[in-house]
Amino acid sequence: MATETRNARGAAAPRGASFSLSDPMFRAAFYQIVVVGAVVLVGWFLISNTLDNLERRSIATGFGFLEREASFGIGESLIDYSPRDTYGRAFLVGVLNTLKVSVIGIVLATLLGTLIGVARLSSNWLVAKLASAYVEIVRNVPPLLQLFFWYALASDGLPAVRQALNPLPGVYLSQRGLWFPVPSHDPIWQAMGIAFAVAVIAVIFLRRWAAARQARTGQPFPTGRIAFLLLLGLPLATWIAGGAPTALDMPVLAGFNFRGGLVISPEFFAILIGLTVYTAAFIAEVVRSGILAVNWGQTEAARALGLTGGQTLRLVVLPQALRVIVPPLTSQYLNLTKNSSLALAIGYPDVVSILNTTLNQTGQAIEGVTMIMGTYLTISLSISLFMNWYNKRIALVER
Amino acid sequence: MKLRILAATAAALAVTAVAGAEAGTLDTVKQRGFVQCGVNVGLPGFGSPDSAGNWRGLDVDYCRAVAVAIFNDPNKVKFTPLSAQQRFPALQSGEVDLLSRNTTVTLTRDSSVGLNFASPTYYDGQGFMVNKKLGVKSAKELNGATVCVQSGTTTELNLADYFRTNGMSYTPVVIENNDEVNAAYFAGRCDVLTTDVSGLAGTRAAVAPVPDDHVILPEVISKEPLAPAVRHGDDQWFDIVKWVVYATIQAEESGITSKNVDEQAKSTNPEIQRLLGTSAGMGKALGLDDKWAYNVVKTIGNYGEIFDRNVGPGTPLKLERGLNALWTKGGLQYAMPIR
């Protein structure tokens, strides 16, 4: 292609600057302009036709409805919400619920997937076969069916609320969810949060200092253990300094349901476990292929240098495997986030579920669907950006 | 030169697409040969397929009645099952000509959603169903309850309003699919199932493992006039749907049934003559045959027959006429004069 253009330029020049379709330069530009023009034309046609139709059928347009009172209830939310709040706030509740299940799901799926992926390579025949069976079964059953399975397990498989299981004091398990006590509200929690943040910053500096010292003197420093102590010890010290409050908010059966404490609803449980189990099967394959992609010679060479098994994995095999793992892993993270929209089927109030209700109450389907698309686009691009940045960071620097 | 062809094609495409949308619904339906009707995905008594796969129910009968008025054939209907979420976009976009799917008339839907509603075919109200074991006698005792509700309906709003007005709290479990909502309630995930009383009766009759275990509470917390709907912007089509509903109600009021309609056609009563097309004029005004109402009553029956066949005391739903009795018998069903 490139050489063709170069030849053409050479040939066209002596003939002067006449515009002919036989001139490849002009032809290339011409077709691109035509294509762009056609896309713009079709887009303009679709938009103007839609607006025209909406107006003719006197369907309201615009995002003004977001400030109106929503007047519908939402089962669970991370921020305060009542039917008195606006559609805008209901939307925010949905976005946060989607983020909650996606973030926790991504962490759990990564842990489970890595475990299964490594297990599939295990030299233990039973472990390897069990892991293979898991991957093959879970990967090939549609996620929606799996969600229904987990939801049925949570709502049919557990006792009614009055016969709730009580494995530990204050912990109740029934078809209404898992209730457990949480520490009562106390200003100390905020202080502990600050202490944790301080510890994180301290650990970052400690790592830098340790790396510099090792480069200078060759002496390794037990960064991991010290960091662990800092992260755990600083908030703990703050808690003790604050008088070590132990008051608990206990769930108590009152009327129809438990009050107080925290609850994991069956809907959240089903969507979280469903997405985790499903995505973990794909992540397991990604991890397995990543590890297999690292030549066995690398391990042998590392052993020959006298590195321990842990160091071999951490310093030699994983850094190379990660380069293969991260790009497809990004795609699995995106899949998990997008699949969370299946929550609609089992009643978890994610962003799709809430916007569906909204667009049904207001009739503004186009705005609602646009907002759903915008939300997923934003989340997906954010994950993609972060993972690309991480991928670049761990990429092999070639000289 | 190629560009000119392309531009001309695009322009022609745009013009035909816009022009196509302008044709009247009646002409489109006649040309197509059947009415496209949006119905419930499965609500016993109102719209659900029977064991042989034929659509049955009160809403379904009104789809058939419109088809009879146009084609004199109750089978010239294509039924599109629509969820609560799908129904308005389906009608707005022209996927269905008529929405006959237990849809409540509200101001928002009449205005900003762009619908026109015919006269209600069923006056309903939202109620609550609970398990008898809970010992609840009144909806006022439901503070703190977990409530199963289908998403995307007025039900969700009335529920929030009712608990708010009475200073009570509740936890909603909102699921899109009606079957899944019912399953969650019968599994015990919720204390309460809420929807229109007719829907509760249908669910109790057709879905409950033991119907007698469940009780519908006496409170009716909202007005739910259920009516067929069409798109804004086609008055002729709107008139047809509206007057088909009136014709069935008027037929009952005049004592005309599917059995005696031939006899009644010989009547000298001018009101009956106008309705059954013995005296000309009432069909032409709608763009239909003068015999349209005669055909509807002959094939589908009058309002009372439609009611009794689908939801009345003789059916598993066992619903009384109540608000749906004729105005002459203390109910709300009232046909505008056919003249």
Side-chain angles (χ1 to χ4, degrees), chain A residues 237-250:
Chain A
T238 317
W239 179 67
I240 292 168
T246 52
L248 286 177
D249 186 9
M250 299 287 266

Side-chain angles (χ1 to χ4, degrees), chain B residues 245-256:
Chain B
V245 176
Y246 285 143
T248 59
I249 298 170
Q250 183 60 50
E252 186 183 11
E253 196 184 319
S254 304
I256 309 168

Side-chain angles (χ1 to χ4, degrees), chain A residues 260-305:
Chain A
L262 259 191
V263 61
I264 297 176
S265 72
E267 289 79 24
F268 178 72
F269 167 83
I271 184 85
L272 179 68
I273 299 301
L275 290 180
T276 301
V277 165
Y278 182 70
T279 315
F282 291 86
I283 292 181
E285 286 299 89
V286 169
V287 169
R288 183 175 70 106
S289 63
I291 292 174
L292 285 179
V294 180
N295 197 314
W296 181 242
Q298 295 284 322
T299 309
E300 286 173 333
R303 294 265 165 85
L305 280 174

Side-chain angles (χ1 to χ4, degrees), chain A residues 21 30-31 34 38 41 44-45 49 52-53 56-60 68-76 83-84 87 148 151 155-156 160-162 175-177 255-257 259 265-267 343-348 353 356-357 359-365, chain B residues 2-3 6 10 13-14 17-18 21-22 84-89 92-94 108-109 111-114 134 136 141-146 151-154 156-157 160-161 164 169-176 180 183-184 187-191 231-233:
Chain A
L21 274 182
F30 174 76
Y31 282 127
V34 167
L41 203 69
W44 169 80
F45 169 70
N49 200 34
D52 187 44
N53 278 333
R56 219 145 23 91
R57 287 167 197 161
S58 49
I59 299 169
R68 295 213 313 263
E69 187 183 279
S71 40
F72 61 84
I74 299 176
E76 51 187 302
R84 233 169 251 130
Y87 283 117
F148 281 137
Y151 190 50
S155 58
D156 281 341
V161 69
R162 271 151 223 276
Q175 55 188 190
R176 298 287 163 81
F256 291 100
N257 222 334
R259 303 264 166 88
S265 72
E267 289 79 24
L344 189 63
I346 56 166
Y348 177 69
S353 161
N356 258 326
T357 298
L359 70 86
N360 216 281
Q361 305 298 359
T362 59
Q364 294 185 274
Chain B
K2 268 185 187 166
L3 186 66
L6 195 78
L13 195 80
V18 172
E22 294 293 349
Q85 309 274 4
Q86 297 163 330
R87 58 186 164 175
F88 299 137
Q92 287 166 344
S93 64
T108 317
R109 290 171 179 177
S111 52
S112 61
V113 183
L134 285 178
V136 173
E141 300 165 25
L142 291 178
N143 190 16
T146 308
S151 66
T153 63
T154 45
E156 243 182 303
L157 305 183
D161 284 355
R164 208 204 291 188
S169 70
Y170 71 105
T171 310
V173 175
V174 185
I175 303 181
E176 185 190 19
E180 295 294 328
R189 172 67 186 98
C190 321
D191 303 301
R231 276 183 296 282
H232 268 183

Side-chain angles (χ1 to χ4, degrees), chain A residues 87-153:
Chain A
Y87 283 117
R89 195 168 175 90
F91 168 65
L92 190 63
V93 168
V95 171
L96 289 175
N97 279 342
T98 291
L99 285 177
K100 178 169 104 176
V101 76
S102 305
V103 169
I104 303 179
I106 282 174
V107 172
L108 292 183
T110 309
L111 293 176
L112 183 64
T114 309
L115 198 73
I116 304 275
V118 172
R120 224 185 150 175
L121 293 173
S122 165
S123 53
N124 181 321
W125 185 86
L126 186 65
V127 169
K129 289 298 159 206
L130 278 178
S132 301
Y134 172 90
V135 169
E136 292 308 330
I137 291 169
V138 169
R139 245 187 354 171
N140 291 304
V141 176
L144 188 60
L145 287 184
Q146 297 190 29
L147 286 188
F148 281 137
F149 168 78
W150 292 110
Y151 190 50
L153 196 73

